[in-house]
Amino acid sequence: MGIVNFRKIMIATDGSVCSRIAANYAIELARLSGGTIYAVYVVSTDYFSSMAVDFDWERMNEALKKEGHSAVNYVKRAGEMERVNVDPILLEGHPAEELIRYAEDNEMDVVIMGTLGKTGLDRLLLGSVAEKVVRHSKVPVMVISEKCKYRG
């Protein structure tokens, strides 16, 4: 095994405190390795499959896109402060599937993501995007849960 070179670092962000902490780790890794950050937010279509037909899903979708722009722009600003190049990416679909696809299609060296640390029934009902990415990604995944416990 040769030297590990982190030139293409993907941060999966949802705008949460946990993903911001993970972004800080990713930015430091990029700063040390001279790499580029790809800040990826997935506008989840999971919400829309269970909504009533008359629900204004267009407005909900726009709200999620706005949240996504805010999340990736936070990472971009944080990277700029450390002189790290950050490419903001907004995708749409099922979060874990889209994150895995993007990382593999774009030959990322590592995926970094935070986790809320949900356990028990919450995790069973909601599923864990981080867990799905870890289990199915061909790209190495670093999950940051330090100082980031779920309080829900």
Side-chain angles (χ1 to χ4, degrees), residues 90-109:
L90 224 60
L91 303 174
E92 206 165 306
H94 301 287
E97 293 171 15
E98 290 302 315
L99 293 169
I100 292 166
R101 184 194 56 74
Y102 186 86
E104 292 175 4
D105 288 354
N106 293 279
E107 300 176 342
M108 294 294 142
D109 295 313

Side-chain angles (χ1 to χ4, degrees), residues 8-27:
K8 295 176 82 175
I9 302 165
M10 183 175 124
I11 174 71
T13 183
D14 62 4
S16 68
V17 171
C18 298
S19 66
R20 288 179 177 197
I21 292 170
N24 292 335
Y25 279 92
I27 289 166

Side-chain angles (χ1 to χ4, degrees), residues 16-145:
S16 68
V17 171
C18 298
S19 66
R20 288 179 177 197
I21 292 170
N24 292 335
Y25 279 92
I27 289 166
E28 181 63 11
L29 184 59
R31 189 184 67 74
L32 293 171
S33 67
T36 297
I37 297 284
Y38 298 82
V40 180
Y41 179 97
V42 180
V43 176
S44 178
T45 57
D46 290 345
Y47 300 118
F48 307 125
S49 62
S50 61
M51 289 183 184
V53 175
D54 61 347
F55 185 82
D56 189 357
W57 63 267
E58 185 69 35
R59 192 176 321 170
M60 177 69 145
N61 191 20
E62 287 305 313
L64 290 172
K65 284 181 181 177
K66 184 177 179 182
E67 180 180 278
H69 284 292
S70 176
V72 297
N73 286 331
Y74 171 86
V75 178
K76 183 163 180 62
R77 286 189 306 274
E80 287 169 350
M81 290 174 53
E82 296 296 326
R83 295 189 175 99
V84 169
N85 186 38
V86 177
D87 191 3
I89 310 291
L90 224 60
L91 303 174
E92 206 165 306
H94 301 287
E97 293 171 15
E98 290 302 315
L99 293 169
I100 292 166
R101 184 194 56 74
Y102 186 86
E104 292 175 4
D105 288 354
N106 293 279
E107 300 176 342
M108 294 294 142
D109 295 313
V110 65
V111 174
I112 300 177
M113 57 194 313
T115 179
L116 290 176
K118 292 183 181 181
T119 59
L121 190 57
D122 280 338
R123 186 169 146 252
L124 181 65
L125 293 174
L126 299 174
S128 169
V129 172
E131 180 182 2
K132 290 174 186 170
V133 172
V134 167
R135 287 184 184 269
H136 301 288
S137 178
K138 294 176 185 161
V139 174
V141 180
M142 179 187 300
V143 178
I144 307 298
S145 61

